[in-house]
Amino acid sequence: MALKHQAPRGTRDLLPGEIERWQWAEARARDVLEHYGYREIRTPIFEEVELFARTSGEASEVVQKEMYRFTDLGERELALRPEGTASVCRAYLQHGMASLGRIHRLWYLGPMFRYGRPQKGRYRQFWQVGAEIIGTPAPGADVEMIALFVDLFDAWGFKDLTVAINSLGMPETRARYAEKLRAWLAPAREQLSADSRQRLEVNPLRVLDTKDPDELKLLGGEGGLGPLPHLIDLLDAESREHFDAVRAGLTALGIAHEIDHGLVRGLDYYTRTAFEVHDRSLGAQSALGGGGRYDGLIEALGGPPTPGVGFSIGLDRVLLMVEEKGFAPEPPAGGIYIVAMEGTRLVAPMLARALRQVYTVDYDLEGRGVNAQMKAAGKGGARAVMLLGDDEWQRGEVVLKELKTGAQQTVPLDGIVEALDRMLMGTTSEMEIP
Ligand code: HAM
């Protein structure tokens, strides 16, 4: 029977069993971000359409084809956020954060929305963790960003990543490069897909984003076009100096990186540094994360010229790899299951409530027999059972049984915590049992 309701195409439910890996990955990320001294920021999930159109670029794929737009009951033109950077910059301006300090280091984690064709690693609702440094044009900020980017991957178990890096220069340089690219691609126009031919007219840099294997060959220099022109050859002196300083900073930190002349990023707000990391085993949607500098973005929102640099990482893709490669540790072993008898049925909830201050505790809600309770304890993955036998309870005792070893001991009520700690944690907690 077909179900009447399913999660909308391109969205997923994260169920127990999978969610533990997400929680682990999120906790690792928070840990790294906090050690770097970044502060969390949470912005709305929807914003004015105009915010994204102005920053990501009217002609960008994200704005043209992928935005979830809607008009609310007050006739406002809104969009589910396709990315986080524009919102962070809007919040920075709206709350006058410049007056609170010159440099702000911020991070965020949450769902983003893009209407694309769902496939492995591409969803319509996906999660990003991202970080931004607002307020400094210094190449040192780009270096710190890339170090943080790499250290997040490291914390999830990805070792030996190579960061792809490029410089997109300033808008004038990009315009000159676009012309150069157009001229370079002109002889191969007929071999390009309809999409790429259109991009050639509107924004030739976007042709470099192609996933088409034949087009990739052309871009790789096959088919008589000769080598792809390099944007960094056109950089102004200051941008060149910036790029060299970023690379030197990365080398000093021992961060493996390679220049990728085809790296142009999918959003239009970038200036100078751009970077990404890919895992090709993911298939066509191989970017695990990316970012770069956006020195004109805040000004485009009507603020004073304010430089920024940041990145976001796609958690769905990261989690796909984490699962495939077995990076996540086993979830912590289970807790205690309280097994009650006829005369102690009312004691179980009371004892569970007290013990839940420290331990993970479960018990039977339905008044079932001892055998059913023991079965439930094993099925639920409990490490120990606390048996509230009628006679023992009368004497002020309970029976503790470790399920793995079968080891069993009778413990006086005031010795429960100590015995459980020894059994479960090898330490002693301080708490009072009423
Ligand atoms: P982005 O490259 O568009 O950059 O997205 C960053 C990452 O989000 C991608 O590398 C990918 O892992 C993930 N991602 C994007 N779209 C999807 C999707 N449909 N399904 C699953 N994962 C996806 C940004 O969003 C910029 N805000 C990054 C940035 C921050 N630049 C400066 N600061």
Side-chain angles (χ1 to χ4, degrees):
M1 186 185 75
L3 281 178
K4 198 162 170 208
H5 295 293
Q6 302 207 354
R9 189 164 144 78
T11 71
R12 294 171 302 153
D13 301 306
L14 297 171
L15 302 181
E18 184 177 4
I19 201 76
E20 290 78 6
R21 276 192 299 278
W22 281 76
Q23 290 168 338
W24 167 81
E26 289 171 9
R28 298 295 289 135
R30 282 204 170 86
D31 207 43
V32 173
L33 289 156
E34 270 157 29
H35 283 122
Y36 264 79
Y38 284 58
R39 319 263 315 264
E40 185 178 357
I41 177 165
R42 297 189 193 183
T43 60
I45 279 180
F46 57 86
E47 300 262 7
E48 289 167 7
V49 164
E50 188 59 19
L51 176 71
F52 301 114
R54 276 211 182 168
T55 53
S56 297
E58 289 277 10
S60 68
E61 198 97 328
V62 165
V63 170
Q64 288 263 310
K65 297 191 187 159
E66 299 187 343
M67 227 157 40
Y68 275 92
R69 299 162 179 247
F70 61 99
T71 311
D72 78 359
L73 295 177
E75 300 295 318
R76 293 175 197 89
E77 291 298 321
L78 301 169
L80 297 183
R81 61 182 185 191
E83 63 107 37
T85 310
S87 302
V88 169
C89 291
R90 194 250 328 120
Y92 170 89
L93 279 176
Q94 183 175 338
H95 303 286
M97 287 172 75
S99 69
L100 304 173
R102 199 168 55 82
I103 297 179
H104 290 265
R105 290 177 163 96
L106 301 165
W107 70 270
Y108 51 89
L109 190 158
M112 308 290 160
F113 305 84
R114 294 184 194 175
Y115 185 85
R117 192 173 58 80
Q119 55 181 295
K120 183 179 180 189
R122 180 152 82 194
Y123 308 99
R124 290 180 174 172
Q125 173 172 329
F126 60 99
W127 270 259
Q128 282 187 345
V129 58
E132 317 285 348
I133 302 183
I134 300 180
T136 173
D142 310 40
V143 174
E144 174 172 295
M145 258 309 152
I146 296 172
L148 169 56
F149 185 67
V150 169
D151 285 347
L152 282 168
F153 284 107
D154 195 76
W156 292 318
F158 296 79
K159 306 287 173 207
D160 308 321
L161 284 181
T162 299
V163 179
I165 174 170
N166 197 12
S167 176
L168 302 180
M170 299 312 261
E172 314 78 64
T173 308
R174 263 200 314 287
R176 275 176 50 220
Y177 182 64
E179 279 319 308
K180 211 164 170 179
L181 206 54
R182 201 173 269 144
W184 181 73
L185 280 166
R189 210 187 120 78
E190 294 315 310
Q191 289 156 261
L192 296 178
S193 63
D195 254 4
S196 286
R197 277 207 298 272
Q198 206 219 342
R199 288 180 185 142
L200 200 57
E201 307 300 327
V202 188
N203 187 353
L205 269 70
R206 284 280 94 80
V207 179
L208 302 184
D209 283 341
T210 184
K211 303 283 185 290
D212 180 307
D214 291 332
E215 290 184 355
L216 284 171
K217 277 190 197 149
L218 279 178
L219 296 175
E222 287 177 36
L225 286 185
L228 174 78
H230 294 171
L231 200 152
I232 57 171
D233 292 340
L234 305 181
L235 290 180
D236 60 279
E238 238 182 281
S239 295
R240 177 81 222 189
E241 214 174 286
H242 187 95
F243 189 55
D244 292 343
V246 172
R247 297 200 59 210
L250 294 177
T251 304
L253 290 179
I255 293 175
H257 59 284
E258 264 167 20
I259 301 183
D260 176 351
H261 296 287
L263 196 168
V264 291
R265 309 281 302 127
L267 306 161
D268 284 350
Y269 51 60
Y270 292 102
T271 51
R272 296 190 171 156
T273 316
F275 56 93
E276 283 176 358
V277 355
H278 289 256
D279 193 311
R280 303 290 167 195
S281 69
L282 267 169
Q285 298 297 318
S286 65
L288 293 174
R293 185 162 270 291
Y294 46 86
D295 291 348
L297 196 159
I298 291 182
E299 210 176 344
L301 293 180
T306 311
V309 56
F311 64 77
S312 328
I313 297 174
L315 283 173
D316 305 76
R317 294 182 192 174
V318 164
L319 266 296
L320 273 174
M321 301 306 297
V322 161
E323 186 182 2
E324 227 169 278
K325 302 199 176 175
F327 287 156
E330 282 298 307
I336 308 155
Y337 195 101
I338 299 179
V339 173
M341 299 209 176
E342 207 43 54
T344 54
R345 201 139 272 153
L346 293 179
V347 179
M350 180 273 289
L351 209 52
R353 191 166 178 224
L355 290 170
R356 279 172 168 168
Q357 292 172 67
V358 177
Y359 310 103
T360 303
V361 182
D362 194 5
Y363 64 94
D364 179 55
L365 300 174
E366 298 171 319
R368 291 180 298 174
V370 171
N371 281 348
Q373 294 183 60
M374 288 301 289
K375 244 191 217 156
K379 234 177 156 179
R383 279 180 68 191
V385 155
M386 182 183 292
L387 202 74
L388 308 183
D390 291 338
D391 297 343
E392 285 88 353
W393 187 254
Q394 290 303 322
R395 289 199 299 272
E397 291 173 344
V398 301
V399 174
L400 283 185
K401 179 173 176 182
E402 194 170 11
L403 288 184
K404 199 169 64 187
T405 59
Q408 188 165 313
Q409 52 180 307
T410 304
V411 183
L413 270 183
D414 60 4
I416 287 183
V417 169
E418 209 182 312
L420 281 175
D421 279 356
R422 248 185 287 116
M423 191 178 268
L424 301 178
M425 309 198 277
T427 56
T428 317
S429 305
E430 277 184 27
M431 65 176 282
E432 275 178 26
I433 298 284

